[in-house]
Amino acid sequence: MPICWRQHGKTALTEELLDEDTSHDDYYLPFPPAIGHPTVPALNDFFDASPNLSLLQKQRKKLKADWESVTRSLPKTSFETYVHYWLLVNARTFYFEMPNVKTHPPRDDRIAMCPLIDLFNHSETGCHVRYGPTGYTVSTDGVYDAGDEIYVSYGRHTNDFLLVEYGFVLNNNRWDSTPVDQCLMTHLVNTPAEERLQQAGYLGTQAATRAQFLSEGGWNDFVTGRDMGDERKTQALVASQVLEPYLREAERTLEWLQTSSRASSMLPYRPRQILIQRWEQIQALLQRTMEVPVGGTDGGIEDPHKR
């Protein structure tokens, strides 16, 4: 799991895994932005810190809270053993609400272990899974021959999410995307456009591009939804300020992962190959998006604030 990759070379998992101290050499791993931001110093000239927690930061925060809760009651618990089982449970549980329970426990803790169903691998399509007061039911979605693998869908997740939560990425994932809003925001720090966005109360690619060129009246029309502004000018800014530099960053990251002895020393072979695969997917998403004509679909570029 990516949460453990920064511990490469250690004989056992340690509580440093929970640290946010970037002085550790093994902290600097070239994760995509949604996972943890590329923080290898040589690769850090484009991406800036996002105001939102990355997937890996969220996972580390939850693990830390759970670990602190457990050790208050069981202080002699082995950290390595706890992380091993925590990751097993995290990857194998299903959402479940007990009958007549609406407020407790918190939503993130409404989970259940369900033996047998947790053996199913993920696919975009698969058997139908539903739960009720008495448990889970799995129904086939077609006719299967002896020896066929049966899948279920873990949900409409990007490959970044699948990698952090389950440790794999799909070769073909119709729900895949890569966020770009934090990339564009690096251009707007301490500018009138940033002030506009703060006053409007939201950030995002659509707003951040238009905040740079719309007149006061045009900006008010955009914020209130009356007029979206010049789409061609918006797309040109997205290409020059986001897609092109992001693509160059992907190319540099891939070269570093594939050729650098430093990358080989920081990451075992398998994690390094997974990161190469993920960055190649991001590279393809960016290239596909840059080929889309004005008014077309975004090709897999995610603007979480788009509305």
Side-chain angles (χ1 to χ4, degrees):
M1 293 288 194
I3 194 172
C4 300
W5 290 355
R6 60 179 289 203
Q7 300 263 303
H8 174 49
K10 298 184 183 296
T11 57
L13 292 177
T14 69
E15 289 184 60
E16 286 181 2
L17 182 109
L18 303 176
D19 292 345
E20 293 294 341
D21 182 2
T22 59
S23 64
H24 299 299
D25 287 343
D26 57 2
Y27 184 89
Y28 294 101
L29 296 176
F31 289 119
I35 294 179
H37 311 296
T39 50
V40 174
L43 305 175
N44 202 32
D45 61 344
F46 172 56
F47 289 102
D48 210 349
S50 170
N52 301 313
L53 291 178
S54 67
L55 293 169
L56 202 53
Q57 287 172 317
K58 290 177 181 177
Q59 188 181 58
R60 187 179 293 119
K61 183 177 180 180
K62 190 174 190 307
L63 172 58
K64 184 176 182 178
D66 290 347
W67 169 244
E68 290 174 348
S69 176
V70 165
T71 52
R72 281 195 292 269
S73 301
L74 302 169
K76 295 183 179 181
T77 303
S78 160
F79 181 74
E80 183 175 23
T81 300
Y82 180 77
V83 171
H84 174 75
Y85 288 112
W86 189 91
L87 290 172
L88 283 177
V89 170
N90 188 62
R92 291 178 176 272
T93 48
F94 293 80
Y95 183 81
F96 187 78
E97 287 185 358
M98 295 293 291
N100 302 319
V101 176
K102 298 300 181 182
T103 58
H104 297 287
R107 181 176 176 83
D108 285 348
D109 293 329
R110 297 177 191 179
I111 54 178
M113 298 291 288
C114 195
L116 185 60
I117 298 181
D118 63 4
L119 297 177
F120 287 73
N121 282 326
H122 168 70
S123 179
E124 290 181 2
T125 59
C127 295
H128 306 294
V129 182
R130 69 178 189 275
Y131 76 89
T134 60
Y136 278 85
T137 302
V138 180
S139 305
T140 59
D141 60 333
V143 178
Y144 289 87
D145 295 325
D148 290 347
E149 182 169 3
I150 301 175
Y151 296 92
V152 298
S153 173
Y154 297 173
R156 298 179 178 182
H157 298 308
T158 67
N159 275 347
D160 291 322
F161 181 91
L162 293 173
L163 179 55
V164 170
E165 293 294 324
Y166 304 107
F168 68 87
V169 298
L170 297 176
N171 290 328
N172 298 294
N173 182 358
R174 63 196 267 187
W175 309 117
D176 198 18
S177 65
T178 185
V180 298
D181 58 324
Q182 76 274 23
C183 308
L184 182 55
M185 291 309 299
T186 62
H187 295 272
L188 305 183
V189 176
N190 297 324
T191 67
E194 182 186 38
E195 185 177 350
R196 274 184 166 183
L197 291 168
Q198 291 174 342
Q199 291 174 349
Y202 67 98
L203 305 177
T205 306
Q206 296 296 318
T209 50
R210 288 165 171 82
Q212 298 178 68
F213 67 83
L214 288 176
S215 65
E216 192 65 33
W219 174 248
N220 290 333
D221 287 344
F222 168 73
V223 171
T224 56
R226 290 193 296 267
D227 188 347
M228 294 297 289
D230 189 333
E231 187 64 33
R232 290 185 180 277
K233 198 166 185 177
T234 299
Q235 188 159 317
L237 277 174
V238 170
S240 64
Q241 295 185 356
V242 179
L243 301 181
E244 292 172 4
Y246 194 176
L247 183 58
R248 290 194 296 270
E249 190 68 25
E251 292 167 349
R252 287 197 295 268
T253 303
L254 282 167
E255 181 180 7
W256 186 84
L257 285 166
Q258 292 166 335
T259 64
S260 170
S261 59
R262 178 72 170 143
S264 300
S265 67
M266 289 171 63
L267 283 166
Y269 176 80
R270 179 57 182 159
R272 193 166 72 255
Q273 292 305 305
I274 291 177
L275 278 181
I276 289 172
Q277 181 184 6
R278 182 60 191 137
W279 275 105
E280 287 177 341
Q281 292 172 340
I282 290 173
Q283 184 182 44
L285 285 172
L286 294 165
Q287 290 171 337
R288 189 160 63 246
T289 301
M290 293 176 69
E291 295 169 358
V292 173
V294 175
T297 58
D298 60 12
I301 299 303
E302 175 188 341
D303 177 4
H305 301 277
K306 186 174 181 180
R307 62 182 188 179

